[in-house]
């Protein structure tokens, strides 16, 4: 089991990330422990589908560049997530179903351009 994955954002971009992860995806923000909160960033609960919830940590990176190849993949109801992203004007790029047989999946970007994948259970 993985407890959390981390992506990065530039300093001051936490509200953009909150708008995406809470506002678009409907995830819950988690309070960071005080000793870590001073570093900036934000944490979110990733709803588990067929398993326990996980966490996504967003850390501030001084020389930030969005991850456009490396990415976390989240198991989700892909139709619901794709609909929420589309309604918010966010990109949804469906993958070729022959690439990973038996899994519907797509890619998008978070509030600062990090690549994310969502795949069916």
């Amino acid at each position: 089991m993985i407890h959390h994955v981390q992506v990065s954002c530039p300093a001051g971009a936490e509200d953009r990330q909150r708008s995406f992860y809470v506002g678009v995806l409907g995830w819950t923000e988690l309070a960071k422990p005080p000793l870590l909160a001073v570093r900036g960033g934000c944490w979110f609960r990733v709803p588990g589908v067929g398993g326990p919830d996980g966490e996504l940590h967003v850390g501030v990176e001084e020389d930030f560049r969005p991850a456009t190849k490396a990415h976390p993949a989240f198991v989700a109801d892909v139709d619901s997530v794709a609909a929420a992203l589309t309604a918010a004007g966010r990109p949804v790029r469906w993958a070729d179903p022959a690439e990973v047989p038996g899994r519907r999946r797509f890619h998008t970007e978070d509030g600062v351009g990090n690549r994310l994948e969502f795949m069916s259970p």
Side-chain angles (χ1 to χ4, degrees), residues 9-96:
C9 75
E14 290 91 345
D15 284 344
R16 280 190 281 167
Q17 295 294 66
R18 288 180 182 102
S19 291
F20 179 79
Y21 290 106
V22 175
V24 176
L25 296 182
W27 294 359
T28 302
E29 184 169 1
L30 301 170
K32 289 183 69 174
L35 291 176
L36 296 178
V38 297
R39 299 179 188 173
C42 39
W43 292 1
F44 304 95
R45 179 166 314 287
V46 179
V49 175
D53 291 350
E55 295 180 12
L56 177 75
H57 296 183
V58 178
V60 172
E61 191 168 356
E62 187 175 315
D63 186 25
F64 172 76
R65 288 177 310 183
T68 58
K69 177 75 173 168
H71 61 277
F74 303 102
V75 176
D77 175 342
V78 293
D79 293 316
S80 294
V81 176
L85 290 163
T86 300
R90 307 295 305 182
V92 173
R93 289 180 304 284
W94 289 96
D96 181 341

